[in-house]
Amino acid sequence: MAQPDTKKFFENLSGAGKSIAVLTSGGDAQGMNAAVRAVVRMGIYVGAKVYFIHEGYQGMVDGGDNIEEASWESVSSMLQVGGTVIGSARCKEFRCHEGRLKAAHHLVQRGITNLCVIGGDGSLTGANLFREEWSGLLEELIQQGTIDEEAAQTHSELHIVGMVGSIDNDFCGTDMTIGTDSALHRIIEVVDAIMTTAQSHQRTFVLEVMGRHCGYLALVSALACGADWVLIPEMPPGDGWEDQMCQKLSENRADKKRLNIIIVAEGAIDSYNKPITTDYIKDLVVKCLGFDTRVTILGHVQRGGTPSAFDRILASRMGVEAVLALLEASPTTPACVVSLCGNQAVRLPLMECVQMTQEVQKAMDEKKFEEAVRLRGRSFENNLNTYKLLSYRKADSELPNSTFNVAVLNVGAPAAGMNAAVRSAVRVGITEGHKMFAVNDGFEGFYKGQIKEIKWGDVGGWTGQGGSILGTKRTLPAKHTEKIAEQMRIHNINALLVIGGFETCDRIKQSASGTKRRVFIIETMGGYCGYLASVGGLAAGADAVYIYEEPFDIRDLQSNVEHLTEKMKTSIQRGLVLRNENCNENFTTDFIYQLYSEEGRGVFDCRKNVLGHMQQGGAPSPFDRNFGTKIAAKAIQWISRKLKESYKEGKVFTNSEDTACLLGMRRRAMVFQPVVQLRDETDFVHRIPKEQWWLKLRPLMKILAKYKTSYDVSDSGQLEHVTRIRPKESDTSAI
């Protein structure tokens, strides 16, 4: 019997007759412009009127030119701009009743009853209060004679959706806030630069990073750069921490490490709630160790610069989801906030998230720091647990008694973040008591016997290195299984951690802008997998992206050219077309370039660029470093459990399916999936999964490029609740 089709498409949702206003409030964050752009274009796409509110709540209170109708072209070329182009301000007037009364009047004047607020917890709390007072405010306006009964009736409901724009990542209910990843990029760029000068002079650097009362930026940047010590508000050091820190710095120098990095969150405190300053730490290191020590306070550099690809995609997805939430809102729907959980966009009640965020501070004030960490959410907690695992090198006498040997190797193409994963695997493995081995040059090195024991200090400084230090080859193991088995017997290897895959890479950097009307044709890597092209296209605001998974013909190409030509006749200055390297053997990059050049003659000119191996090069992003570190730690802990479960009478038995697994993210969780199960889910000819989750993002790119398309919103629309229960430790726990 055929299953009923449960898919829901947004074409059934109409914005006709509705007005949506978007504002940014509080501190600025990279990616806010991408969110504004997505709200404007999605709103116009569904037939609604969309308004900018300039200068945040101040603009709403002042009215006039601060509330301006937006057009499709008015958000062109803002995707790659940092900060917020519509302005943000902290508004005292909106905090009082009189200010909110003025704001309500200005919204009613323009028929606005849907508000999209991008800001922190204070901004979102203000929006919720505004909504709760809305009917009372309209009553007052009627009594003043400012509006009539009919206007009040027409605008009787105010719907609010929030998106969290904050570099601090201090809002409960979402794994990441808009701007956090870009701020991490700024921090890591500075740390990488400082490391070169620190190594030259054997210096210690103390870095202060932002975050107010949240230590996320400090914690993740410490993980991403392999810092010697980190101080965050959620984990105040106990008595005697100064001596412990100095001892660790001294031990690292004794291990021939030429530099020390200490990262301090601006809200760092000790166990007595006394602030810990960078100057205090500097004086301490100089006094106790005599090391040449310098202080760097990053300050507002962290807020600046171009938003990362991650923030552009996150903000674009959230902006589209926010408009859908406004279209589906009813009088009984609570104000919601759009959040990220794993790789899913979810809606949560705004005030549940705000209340939990406030509970974190309350727990910290009461010195309930474990409770504060739990309330921060699974992402923060897992980062902290991983840091604890990697930060302290136990003495041999403290290590668990393990007789297992575990080998680590890289396979396939080199990918940024591999070295961070190897470092994490080696150190967690040693902490678990195993003897760790490194295999050079993948399976080719394995069968040739290029295997050696690797120690804690051998992987120092690997986190920020690009490529694969162990070396990697594309050689497959099938022809050499007997020789590999022999090497495993010789070295008594009980478990293997294989880092690599078909063709994986998380880096794409391409900006296309100019004063002339110009279209850029870009070829990306990825084999037959269109992930890089599609997600890169969403991040860069592409007009078309050609991939293998979505077949196209000459009619589609002609339609795309005509669509782009019409757009370029308006005020839009640039176009961007991406092509995956294996999307079609006949429609090559040269063919597409020549087609667009000919058909666009007189309207725009074309340039082409084949990105090639630059996508695999360079230092890994903060995301890749952090993800590689956490996923490898999780893999080694899983290996340890499986080895103990499989150990009988002095031997390791691995007959069951679940002793060879692939670790990866599925929707909202990290899942260990037996490799044999992947057989039915994989297209081995083209080396890609048969089902790709990111294909659901492609319609977003088309909508934001003004194409009429169908968009499956089956996963949207359900208002969920903030979970407060600690998840049980399992193989499906999230990273």
Side-chain angles (χ1 to χ4, degrees):
M1 181 178 165
Q3 292 292 315
D5 187 2
T6 56
K7 285 188 176 180
K8 181 176 70 169
F9 293 93
F10 89 111
E11 290 92 314
N12 302 324
L13 300 169
S14 172
K18 295 185 178 181
S19 293
I20 299 169
V22 58
L23 66 93
T24 54
S25 176
D28 65 307
Q30 307 96 320
M32 279 183 165
N33 290 324
V36 170
R37 170 181 176 268
V39 170
V40 169
R41 291 198 166 175
M42 188 65 172
I44 292 171
Y45 190 91
V46 295
K49 273 189 176 182
V50 185
Y51 291 85
F52 295 131
I53 299 179
H54 295 279
E55 311 307 333
Y57 288 120
Q58 191 66 56
M60 204 195 300
V61 171
D62 295 342
D65 293 341
N66 289 303
I67 304 176
E68 173 198 8
E69 188 171 353
S71 66
W72 190 276
E73 291 77 20
S74 62
V75 292
S76 181
S77 298
M78 71 192 294
L79 188 62
Q80 67 273 22
V81 179
T84 165
V85 298
I86 60 173
S88 179
R90 301 186 192 277
C91 178
K92 286 184 180 176
E93 249 187 296
F94 192 76
R95 293 180 185 174
C96 23
H97 184 78
E98 193 58 39
R100 293 193 290 276
L101 190 65
K102 288 181 187 175
H105 179 221
H106 293 140
L107 292 189
V108 171
Q109 276 182 325
R110 288 164 179 77
I112 297 167
T113 54
N114 295 280
L115 202 55
C116 188
V117 180
I118 307 164
D121 58 335
S123 304
L124 299 180
T125 304
N128 190 67
L129 175 62
F130 190 44
R131 180 178 188 256
E132 288 175 350
E133 292 182 349
W134 184 253
S135 57
L137 294 171
L138 295 189
E139 283 291 328
E140 280 189 60
L141 291 171
I142 292 170
Q143 288 167 11
Q144 290 177 3
T146 315
I147 65 170
D148 57 25
E149 291 275 1
E150 186 183 349
Q153 192 65 39
T154 308
H155 306 96
S156 60
E157 296 292 336
L158 178 68
H159 302 298
I160 284 175
V161 173
M163 288 180 270
V164 192
S166 166
I167 68 167
D168 302 334
N169 205 28
D170 58 352
F171 193 81
C172 294
T174 185
D175 289 352
M176 287 286 269
T177 57
I178 295 167
T180 303
D181 187 68
S182 299
L184 284 170
H185 272 264
R186 299 297 92 78
I187 295 167
I188 294 305
E189 284 164 11
V190 171
V191 172
D192 286 352
I194 279 174
M195 279 183 161
T196 56
T197 183
Q199 281 180 326
S200 300
H201 298 278
Q202 293 198 55
R203 283 182 176 146
T204 296
F205 270 85
V206 185
L207 274 77
E208 181 184 285
V209 302
M210 294 176 93
R212 289 194 304 172
H213 303 295
C214 178
Y216 184 89
L217 287 178
L219 177 59
V220 174
S221 54
L223 266 177
C225 72
D228 298 88
W229 202 266
V230 67
L231 292 154
I232 59 172
E234 295 86 351
M235 188 179 67
D239 292 343
W241 68 268
E242 294 96 337
D243 292 336
Q244 291 170 9
M245 183 184 76
C246 289
Q247 184 183 345
K248 184 176 180 186
L249 297 179
S250 181
E251 286 172 358
N252 285 349
R253 283 290 176 92
D255 281 346
K256 298 181 180 177
K257 187 176 181 184
R258 292 179 59 85
L259 78 157
N260 301 113
I261 300 285
I262 300 164
I263 295 182
V264 187
E266 64 181 349
I269 51 173
D270 64 17
S271 53
Y272 302 101
N273 276 351
K274 181 184 171 186
I276 299 173
T277 66
T278 50
D279 285 334
Y280 175 75
I281 294 168
K282 176 192 171 181
D283 295 342
L284 182 72
V285 174
V286 171
K287 181 183 172 185
C288 295
L289 301 173
F291 290 172
D292 183 4
T293 306
R294 305 295 165 94
V295 169
T296 299
I297 296 175
L298 271 63
H300 284 76
V301 166
Q302 295 156 87
R303 288 194 190 278
T306 302
S308 66
F310 183 95
D311 273 328
R312 297 186 202 188
I313 295 158
L314 174 66
S316 298
R317 291 181 70 186
M318 283 185 166
V320 168
E321 186 70 24
V323 172
L324 292 175
L326 288 171
L327 293 179
E328 293 177 346
S330 70
T332 58
T333 310
C336 76
V337 63
V338 180
S339 299
L340 180 74
C341 185
N343 61 23
Q344 303 285 297
V346 298
R347 301 176 199 172
L348 298 169
L350 191 154
M351 288 315 293
E352 281 188 23
C353 297
V354 169
Q355 283 158 11
M356 188 180 282
T357 303
Q358 292 168 348
E359 281 179 33
V360 174
Q361 190 57 51
K362 185 183 173 189
M364 287 167 64
D365 291 341
E366 295 173 356
K367 298 187 179 181
K368 298 176 180 175
F369 295 108
E370 286 188 12
E371 175 73 2
V373 168
R374 187 179 68 78
L375 288 168
R376 280 269 184 245
R378 58 179 197 160
S379 175
F380 189 94
E381 193 169 15
N382 282 313
N383 279 311
L384 185 56
N385 290 338
T386 307
Y387 177 79
K388 287 177 180 176
L389 269 177
L390 296 170
S391 63
Y392 179 60
R393 180 179 179 179
K394 294 179 180 177
D396 290 346
S397 57
E398 295 179 89
L399 294 173
N401 185 22
S402 166
T403 56
F404 300 124
N405 294 345
V406 179
V408 183
L409 72 155
N410 293 155
V411 300
M418 275 184 165
N419 297 320
V422 172
R423 169 186 174 271
S424 175
V426 167
R427 292 193 169 178
V428 174
I430 290 169
T431 303
E432 297 271 317
H434 309 317
K435 188 180 277 191
M436 300 299 295
F437 288 84
V439 180
N440 293 109
D441 295 335
F443 286 116
E444 186 174 312
F446 207 163
Y447 84 79
K448 289 179 179 176
Q450 294 170 217
I451 305 163
K452 61 177 181 181
E453 187 178 353
I454 189 165
K455 304 278 191 175
W456 185 281
D458 295 337
V459 291
W462 281 31
T463 312
Q465 300 291 316
S468 166
I469 295 172
L470 289 184
T472 179
K473 295 280 182 74
R474 294 175 186 263
T475 309
L476 296 174
K479 296 178 183 176
H480 310 285
T481 46
E482 288 184 12
K483 289 181 180 177
I484 289 171
E486 179 60 27
Q487 290 296 334
M488 291 184 76
R489 280 193 291 272
I490 291 169
H491 294 91
N492 192 26
I493 290 170
N494 307 109
L496 272 181
L497 175 61
V498 182
I499 300 167
F502 284 149
E503 310 290 354
T504 57
C505 181
D506 181 48
R507 295 178 55 84
I508 179 167
K509 289 187 176 178
Q510 179 64 38
S511 91
S513 61
T515 53
K516 293 183 180 178
R517 284 184 168 77
R518 183 165 288 171
V519 172
F520 288 78
I521 315 293
I522 310 292
E523 181 184 299
T524 69
M525 292 176 77
Y528 285 93
C529 179
Y531 175 83
L532 274 184
S534 296
V535 180
L538 185 57
D543 297 277
V545 176
Y546 302 113
I547 62 170
Y548 169 79
E549 292 91 341
E550 203 170 88
F552 58 96
D553 58 24
I554 193 67
R555 290 181 295 276
D556 297 314
L557 288 169
Q558 186 63 35
S559 171
N560 294 156
V561 173
E562 290 169 0
H563 182 83
L564 188 52
T565 304
E566 287 306 308
K567 278 174 66 176
M568 298 293 273
K569 286 177 182 175
T570 67
S571 59
I572 289 172
Q573 293 285 323
R574 69 114 177 107
L576 181 63
V577 175
L578 279 85
R579 177 190 176 274
N580 164 259
E581 60 184 348
N582 288 338
C583 66
N584 187 293
E585 61 181 336
N586 296 314
F587 299 136
T588 63
T589 302
D590 283 336
F591 177 89
I592 291 173
Y593 166 70
Q594 288 161 1
L595 177 68
Y596 275 77
S597 296
E598 180 60 32
E599 295 296 318
R601 192 186 299 275
V603 179
F604 57 80
D605 63 357
C606 282
R607 296 287 185 273
K608 67 174 177 178
N609 192 345
V610 178
L611 295 180
H613 284 79
M614 68 166 284
Q615 295 159 86
Q616 292 179 333
S621 68
F623 178 90
D624 281 331
R625 299 183 196 196
N626 190 26
F627 190 69
T629 297
K630 288 193 290 185
I631 202 169
K634 198 170 189 64
I636 289 292
Q637 289 175 318
W638 177 87
I639 282 173
S640 295
R641 285 202 303 274
K642 288 297 172 188
L643 284 169
K644 288 171 189 170
E645 290 170 12
S646 309
Y647 188 71
K648 290 169 189 170
E649 298 175 4
K651 289 185 179 179
V652 175
F653 292 87
T654 56
N655 302 324
S656 60
E657 283 185 1
D658 66 347
T659 55
C661 285
L662 173 73
L663 173 57
M665 179 167 278
R666 286 290 181 96
R667 293 176 68 84
R668 303 186 189 185
M670 295 304 300
V671 179
F672 289 90
Q673 186 171 12
V675 174
V676 292
Q677 292 179 11
L678 296 173
R679 203 177 293 152
D680 297 332
E681 299 175 15
T682 305
D683 174 354
F684 283 98
V685 175
H686 299 103
R687 302 169 71 170
I688 53 175
K690 289 178 181 174
E691 286 190 22
Q692 307 261 42
W693 71 269
W694 51 264
L695 284 172
K696 284 191 174 182
L697 299 182
R698 280 184 63 79
L700 295 191
M701 186 204 71
K702 293 178 181 178
I703 288 166
L704 297 177
K706 217 172 183 177
Y707 283 94
K708 289 291 178 188
T709 188
S710 187
Y711 180 36
D712 178 5
V713 293
S714 307
D715 292 336
S716 301
Q718 297 300 314
L719 190 67
E720 302 182 17
H721 291 281
V722 184
T723 176
R724 293 167 178 265
I725 303 165
R726 182 187 293 274
K728 292 180 181 176
E729 184 60 38
S730 71
D731 287 353
T732 57
S733 63
I735 254 189

